[in-house]
Amino acid sequence: MTPIDLTQVASRFKSGWLAINQRTLKIVAHAKDFSSIIKKTEDKKEVVLIPASEDFSHIAPRYYE
Amino acid sequence: MSKYPYSLFPPKDKPVLKPYIYIRLGCKKTHKIIPNPVLALIDSGADMCLCKKYIGDWLGLNFNKLKRGEITAVNKTRFVVLIHPLTVFFQNKIYEASFSLSDEIPDQTPIILGQKGFFDHFKITFDLPNKEIEIV
């Protein structure tokens, strides 16, 4: 399967949130925070929400209770 | 569809394929549901599901009344989490799962899907050579 390449799209903005069309992978909206991106996109279809960042390369944390 | 592609995120010079999917979350008490799917990391090393506290804010949770817990991260730092059941919307399944909410999880992973709350609801196959995840 071809991976979804969001290396360019996700780094267009350094912070905030992006709404991306799932089919075209084009940015539909950007907002400074989670509430704002939801407000901008609640009526839109085929959209997914991702944080905007130049770097997603962190180690996934491990959790123990 | 039960097969999902791996995702590539920035930085471009250090590309790592990761098992991200998109899910919606809701809260039974407040009747609020996030209208569009949000990025979520499938993390088999996580004991439970976690999400950023601002998601709980949007869902209208009353943080003063939530049970508190403590989590130890991979670097042995401990942080407090607030625990609340959230509704998970994924594929055609809708179910309640306990979530730990915190501002301490990375901004780039607003939702982390762990053993309790995700792996106990689906059979998940990580097929990195073929760059796909099967979730049934």
Side-chain angles (χ1 to χ4, degrees), chain B residues 36-55:
Chain B
N36 282 307
V38 178
L39 186 71
L41 178 68
I42 306 173
D43 186 358
S44 60
D47 291 357
M48 70 282 287
C49 293
L50 299 96
C51 70
K52 295 287 283 190
K53 192 169 161 286
Y54 55 66
I55 292 179

Side-chain angles (χ1 to χ4, degrees), chain A residues 32-61:
Chain A
K32 62 175 167 59
D33 56 35
F34 186 69
S35 299
S36 305
I37 198 72
I38 292 197
K39 223 178 220 171
K40 281 189 175 185
T41 59
E42 55 194 349
D43 295 331
K44 295 196 190 295
K45 303 229 182 286
E46 287 191 324
V47 153
V48 293
L49 307 179
I50 69 167
S53 175
E54 293 181 311
D55 193 345
F56 281 70
S57 62
H58 55 278
I59 297 169

Side-chain angles (χ1 to χ4, degrees), chain A residues 2-8 10 54-60 62, chain B residues 5-22 39 41-42 108-109 126-129 131-133:
Chain A
T2 307
I4 299 174
D5 188 345
L6 291 170
T7 49
Q8 302 277 21
E54 293 181 311
D55 193 345
F56 281 70
S57 62
H58 55 278
I59 297 169
R62 299 291 176 260
Chain B
Y6 269 77
S7 296
L8 262 177
F9 277 89
K12 212 172 179 187
D13 60 339
K14 287 191 279 182
V16 177
L17 288 164
K18 288 193 183 178
Y20 281 103
I21 55 171
Y22 299 88
L39 186 71
L41 178 68
I42 306 173
Q108 298 85 349
T109 47
F126 295 99
D127 184 359
L128 188 50
K131 301 179 178 61
E132 64 188 27
I133 311 142

